Amino acid sequence: MPHGRVAISQITFRDSAPEEDAAIRELEARAFGREEEADLALDLMAGPVETLSLVAVREGRLVGHLLFSRIEGPERCLALAPLAVDPDFREMYVGTELVRHGLKRAREAGWKSVFVLGEPNYYGRFGFRSELADPAVVEWQGPFLLAMELEPDALAGWSGPLVYPEPFSKV
């Protein structure tokens, strides 16, 4: 565990590298206290679906991981999951900065919208809103299904099913 507060400036945010898969799996399992999210991340990254994977690194140690995966639904949309932060680095804005960096990278790569199943108070500060996800038809529809437009009006007038990659069915 780090001594005292770690300045966010001491952490590097970047795309993950294939040789980091084992460290990502270990981080995910530790962060969630179970294997399902670790398996989800690696299954998605190894599968045929497009993903965007970012890590937070401090002194050579992975302290955070964020994964976006393409989902079927609105044009060029992503699912944000999982977001994992090493328990020793929680409350240090690692997750916040991972999400900010990830959304920026997704915009730069031409993605138009992102869906997340998560805490509205946490994800709302980035611009995720449940009303943008209301037109989605998915089994976990409700107040915790949130969406964000990366491109203005990307979700305007859209409604229909969201189809997540098969590994999500195991979580």
Side-chain angles (χ1 to χ4, degrees):
M1 174 162 190
H3 293 93
R5 279 215 43 99
V6 173
I8 202 70
S9 63
Q10 297 173 319
I11 297 175
T12 302
F13 299 89
R14 60 168 172 75
D15 290 351
S16 68
E19 62 271 12
E20 294 173 314
D21 285 358
I24 288 170
R25 186 176 200 301
E26 181 181 319
L27 170 67
E28 293 278 351
R30 187 163 182 241
F32 287 99
R34 59 188 209 148
E35 302 297 317
E36 287 84 352
E37 284 79 4
D39 292 340
L40 172 64
L42 291 186
D43 287 350
L44 288 166
M45 290 164 48
V49 175
E50 285 180 79
T51 60
L52 179 59
S53 174
L54 287 91
V55 292
V57 182
R58 180 171 185 260
E59 297 176 351
R61 174 182 169 192
L62 264 61
V63 298
H65 178 244
L66 170 65
L67 187 66
F68 292 98
S69 302
R70 179 182 207 125
I71 52 176
E72 293 178 36
E75 182 184 356
R76 299 231 2 109
C77 68
L78 295 167
L80 185 165
L83 168 61
V85 175
D86 185 304
D88 291 342
F89 287 82
R90 292 202 180 130
E91 306 302 323
M92 295 183 193
Y93 299 100
V94 173
T96 297
E97 287 303 310
L98 266 172
V99 172
R100 285 189 180 138
H101 280 79
L103 292 171
K104 180 177 184 244
R105 285 276 293 112
R107 266 190 202 93
E108 292 169 352
W111 295 99
K112 296 183 178 206
S113 62
V114 179
F115 288 81
V116 66
L117 184 63
E119 174 55 49
N121 289 332
Y122 182 81
Y123 289 102
R125 62 189 157 146
F126 304 106
F128 286 91
R129 300 188 342 245
S130 64
E131 58 270 15
L132 285 174
D134 285 347
V137 177
V138 65
E139 68 182 85
W140 47 83
Q141 179 53 272
F144 294 98
L145 181 64
L146 312 168
M148 177 182 184
E149 295 173 321
L150 299 176
E151 182 178 286
D153 298 322
L155 298 173
W158 176 82
S159 67
L162 284 182
V163 181
Y164 282 69
E166 189 274 328
F168 278 96
S169 67
K170 299 175 190 173
V171 179

